[in-house]
Amino acid sequence: MNLKKTYIVLALAFASLTGYSQDYPERQAFQDSSGKVSTLFRQKQAVRYNFPHNGNFYWQSPEFKTGEVLFGGKLYKNLLLNIDAVRHQPVVMPDRNSVVLDLDREYVLYFTMGKARLDNLFLQGVKGAGEGFYELLEDADYKLYRRVGKTLAESTDFSVNGDGIGYEDPAYRRDVHRYFRYHADFYALTPEGELVPLRNKGSVRKLLGVKKSNLPSGASPEEYFRAAFKIRKAGR
């Protein structure tokens, strides 16, 4: 299935799930307020998940952060950006009280959210990369990336608050069974330009040539991987 057909299928599926509808007055207001920058964006609103749920569907937080985007070969700055981790779809707001719109990821080479940088490695032609975005965590000869995904799930097990949704939510609702399940995968981009999955702690030691004794025991996978990449960068 080509990319355009995939977008159509996803749009139809989420429209039936969320009650998504186009809101032409809001879109027109966005165009009026954003001027020439509005040509960056697809002319549709982002999917709305209009049902009770725990967790959130964004990469990290529902908070939109100021960043930049390299779109169609041009760099645009000072935009309010986030990413829908269910669809791996970057989204943008013209201001903090306005409608959320999709960015057309076919033209987004990378974008930033605050200090976080997310690369479209598939669009950059990286071997082994899937469609969507990867967050750059460590940058050296070997680069460490994290790829976050979320899926809609259902459970009566209250233990999903925490690791299940990706954070501890003090407002977690016990009467709501649907939630956005969090998962994260980690990858190394080699100097040869190949994206290699890091399946366990042993795989990063082997790839980078880092001794186990130099790494923190009991650390989370992300902490462990980041420590290994820092050691590699320092040449220890």
Side-chain angles (χ1 to χ4, degrees), residues 129-235:
E131 294 184 17
F133 291 85
Y134 298 77
E135 181 182 359
L136 181 62
L137 299 181
E138 299 291 341
D139 190 4
D141 57 340
Y142 283 81
K143 302 179 189 296
L144 175 63
Y145 280 96
R146 173 176 59 190
R147 180 177 169 92
V148 170
K150 294 192 177 180
T151 53
L152 184 62
E154 190 165 335
S155 175
T156 57
D157 182 357
F158 304 134
S159 66
V160 299
N161 188 19
D163 290 343
I165 61 174
Y167 63 100
E168 287 286 343
D169 185 358
Y172 189 92
R173 293 182 55 183
R174 289 175 170 266
D175 62 324
V176 173
H177 296 161
R178 285 189 289 185
Y179 70 101
F180 287 101
R181 179 189 294 146
Y182 170 93
H183 60 90
D185 298 307
F186 297 88
Y187 299 84
L189 181 59
T190 70
E192 295 73 33
E194 181 177 0
L195 197 64
V196 178
L198 300 175
R199 304 191 188 281
N200 51 51
K201 294 177 178 179
S203 65
V204 73
R205 295 197 304 269
K206 181 178 180 180
L207 179 67
L208 301 183
V210 176
K211 294 181 179 179
K212 183 177 181 179
S213 59
N214 292 334
L215 292 165
S217 61
S220 69
E222 179 175 338
E223 292 169 338
Y224 196 90
F225 295 152
R226 295 191 80 148
F229 276 77
K230 289 181 186 299
I231 291 171
R232 168 80 185 196
K233 186 175 183 178

Side-chain angles (χ1 to χ4, degrees), residues 19-215:
Y20 160 79
S21 63
Q22 293 180 329
D23 191 331
Y24 290 93
E26 286 182 327
R27 285 159 52 204
Q28 186 60 52
F30 164 73
Q31 290 179 339
D32 292 343
S33 67
S34 58
K36 292 182 179 180
V37 179
S38 68
T39 60
L40 289 173
F41 310 119
R42 301 183 68 189
Q43 299 305 304
K44 74 170 188 177
Q45 290 179 238
V47 167
R48 298 172 178 175
Y49 300 88
N50 292 330
F51 50 83
H53 59 267
N54 283 306
N56 70 75
F57 53 88
Y58 290 107
W59 192 275
Q60 290 181 321
S61 161
E63 179 187 359
F64 279 64
K65 295 184 178 180
T66 302
E68 64 185 31
V69 56
L70 185 60
F71 183 95
K74 294 183 65 177
L75 184 64
Y76 298 86
K77 299 183 178 182
N78 299 316
L79 301 172
L80 290 171
L81 297 163
N82 209 328
I83 179 169
D84 179 334
V86 177
R87 300 180 296 136
H88 261 245
Q89 176 64 55
V91 291
V92 62
M93 288 194 300
D95 62 63
R96 295 206 178 268
N97 298 309
S98 63
V99 63
V100 178
L101 297 178
D102 279 347
L103 275 166
D104 189 343
R105 75 180 185 190
E106 289 187 69
Y107 301 99
V108 178
L109 201 65
Y110 82 86
F111 71 98
T112 64
M113 302 184 300
K115 295 181 180 180
R117 173 184 169 119
L118 290 98
D119 284 311
N120 190 337
L121 298 181
F122 179 80
L123 191 60
Q124 293 176 22
V126 171
K127 182 180 178 182
E131 294 184 17
F133 291 85
Y134 298 77
E135 181 182 359
L136 181 62
L137 299 181
E138 299 291 341
D139 190 4
D141 57 340
Y142 283 81
K143 302 179 189 296
L144 175 63
Y145 280 96
R146 173 176 59 190
R147 180 177 169 92
V148 170
K150 294 192 177 180
T151 53
L152 184 62
E154 190 165 335
S155 175
T156 57
D157 182 357
F158 304 134
S159 66
V160 299
N161 188 19
D163 290 343
I165 61 174
Y167 63 100
E168 287 286 343
D169 185 358
Y172 189 92
R173 293 182 55 183
R174 289 175 170 266
D175 62 324
V176 173
H177 296 161
R178 285 189 289 185
Y179 70 101
F180 287 101
R181 179 189 294 146
Y182 170 93
H183 60 90
D185 298 307
F186 297 88
Y187 299 84
L189 181 59
T190 70
E192 295 73 33
E194 181 177 0
L195 197 64
V196 178
L198 300 175
R199 304 191 188 281
N200 51 51
K201 294 177 178 179
S203 65
V204 73
R205 295 197 304 269
K206 181 178 180 180
L207 179 67
L208 301 183
V210 176
K211 294 181 179 179
K212 183 177 181 179
S213 59
N214 292 334
L215 292 165

